[in-house]
Amino acid sequence: MILSNHRRSFIAFGTGGLVLAALAVWMLIAGTASAATLCVNPGGTGGCSSSIQAAVAAASAGDTINVAAGTYTEVGQIVISKNLTIVGAGAGSTIIKTSVDTGNTGDPRGWFLVNSGVNFNLSKVKLDGTGHLVWQGIRDHGTGTISDCSITNIKFNESGPDYAGTGVVVFGSSVNVTNCTFSGIGRVGVLFFGTGVTGSTFSNNTYTGKGAGNWLDYGVEVGAGANATISGNTISGDTGVATVDGSTSAGILVTTFFGAGTAATITGNNITGNTDGIVVGFDASDTSAVQAHLNNITGNPDAGVVSTAPLVNATCNWWGAANGPGPVGPGSGDKGSTNVTFTPWLIAPAPAGPCTGPTPVPTPTPAPTPTPNPTFCAGCPVGGFVDVLSTGSGSGGSVGLSMIALLAMLAAITAVSGSGIYAFLRRRS
């Protein structure tokens, strides 16, 4: 009876389930069929839009927008509120500019604003903020990939009072920035910010700082509880100093100043020519967690890796010298600080350099101690003792000759009898 009731219930549910499944399949097919590819070109010809803004407005969720080579000056903030993919003709060919300044607080800071829950992919374009104040090139609350792009001249009063300008700021759980170049950035290339960032990456990018001047540069910053992986990048030229308070630049900055839980894995990067290579922490209360391995950390004059408090695992890095880092280390390479574990280190540049530093110094085998020759007269010239015996000098007058005879007899008896001195003296007594 129970089985029967259960079976009837299953059959009733299954009938309805089949209807729902069929409806779901139809919706999936309809949704897939509705995904379209839109186009943008400078003249708006051939059924294409003439601006990216217009194409974004016309697109449906899941669509792809192909942007032809050309320069597009867009008006206002570009809001991405649905899943979209925008693909250019190449970072050197498809150039996107803005005609207005961005805001300086909240979401209006973003030139491109990606809403929460949205998957947005952008590739093969250049974002150029020249001529306008741009706080953030892309402000991303969603997920997706930004790849093969050039992001340049994103600045907002970079020499004060704001010292601002960020290429991409990531708030979403998984945003991957890869194969992009960053130059002329007001302050930070990519900022991973907040506990919502759990699986984002910054990989195979090139960040070139502005060099010396009244400004700041950080290729990557991870903070406020974000977790990010930084790998395969080249980060250089971050040497500016903010004259307002003496703040200095660094290739990578990781800190819990804005919130606990910040963590970063830093591997396979070339970090060179910055004031500091990697800075972990803001003050003595910082608790950031950082692993840094297989990086080439060279030519960073203040420090290769410095920590204000957290223990940093920085083993197996190339510090620019086979004898490792200094001054807390024994070598002449880039400096490390206290709270940085650097042993073992690479004894040649990554990725080929073996992680065997410090190379043990072999303990030399001590030379055998020679057996000293008997010395009869330590203070006499050579032959002095023989002279004394041969001349018979000393008390008794004949002591010299008797001693010679005594020694000769002793040697003869020892050789023959093997009884040594004991036998000789016994017979004498």
Side-chain angles (χ1 to χ4, degrees), residues 269-293:
N269 302 281
N270 294 310
I271 305 169
T272 181
N274 310 288
T275 301
D276 291 298
I278 301 172
V279 174
V280 181
F282 180 82
D283 54 26
S285 65
D286 202 287
T287 58
S288 300
V290 171
Q291 302 266 342
H293 308 295

Side-chain angles (χ1 to χ4, degrees), residues 3 13 42 87 155 166 175 189 200 244 256 288 294 355 386 403:
L3 178 61
F13 174 77
V87 182
K155 304 175 182 179
T166 300
V175 175
S200 293
V244 67
T256 58
S288 300
L294 301 177
C355 185
V386 176
M403 183 62 72

Side-chain angles (χ1 to χ4, degrees), residues 45-217:
T45 58
C48 299
S49 300
S50 60
S51 74
I52 295 166
Q53 280 277 32
V56 168
S60 299
D63 285 354
T64 296
I65 300 171
N66 288 331
V67 185
T71 299
Y72 303 87
T73 301
E74 301 293 324
V75 179
Q77 186 180 55
I78 300 174
V79 178
I80 309 298
S81 59
K82 51 205 164 190
N83 296 347
L84 284 179
T85 296
I86 297 178
V87 182
S93 301
T94 301
I95 301 167
I96 305 171
K97 295 188 173 185
T98 182
S99 63
V100 298
D101 299 344
T102 69
N104 60 3
T105 60
D107 282 348
R109 287 176 169 176
W111 174 10
F112 280 70
L113 174 64
V114 182
N115 287 344
S116 179
V118 170
N119 183 266
F120 174 60
N121 302 303
L122 177 68
S123 63
K124 299 181 181 180
V125 302
K126 175 188 282 188
L127 301 185
D128 187 352
T130 299
H132 290 278
L133 300 177
V134 180
W135 196 288
Q136 296 161 353
I138 302 173
R139 184 177 175 93
D140 201 329
H141 294 281
T143 60
T145 299
I146 299 166
S147 63
D148 302 296
C149 292
S150 172
I151 300 177
T152 187
N153 297 316
I154 306 299
K155 304 175 182 179
F156 202 106
N157 296 325
E158 74 277 13
S159 295
D162 299 293
Y163 293 96
T166 300
V168 180
V169 58
V170 174
F171 300 99
S173 60
S174 179
V175 175
N176 304 308
V177 182
T178 183
N179 293 320
C180 292
T181 62
F182 296 80
S183 62
I185 304 299
R187 185 180 182 118
V188 182
V190 174
L191 169 62
F192 297 100
F193 194 87
T195 56
V197 182
T198 56
S200 293
T201 64
F202 182 80
S203 61
N204 301 315
N205 302 286
T206 300
Y207 182 93
T208 305
K210 300 182 296 298
N214 175 27
W215 45 61
L216 295 170
D217 268 301

Side-chain angles (χ1 to χ4, degrees), residues 375-382 384-385:
T375 302
F376 293 101
C377 182
C380 297
V382 176
F385 186 63

Side-chain angles (χ1 to χ4, degrees), residues 378-391:
C380 297
V382 176
F385 186 63
V386 176
D387 290 343
V388 171
L389 292 178
S390 63
T391 58

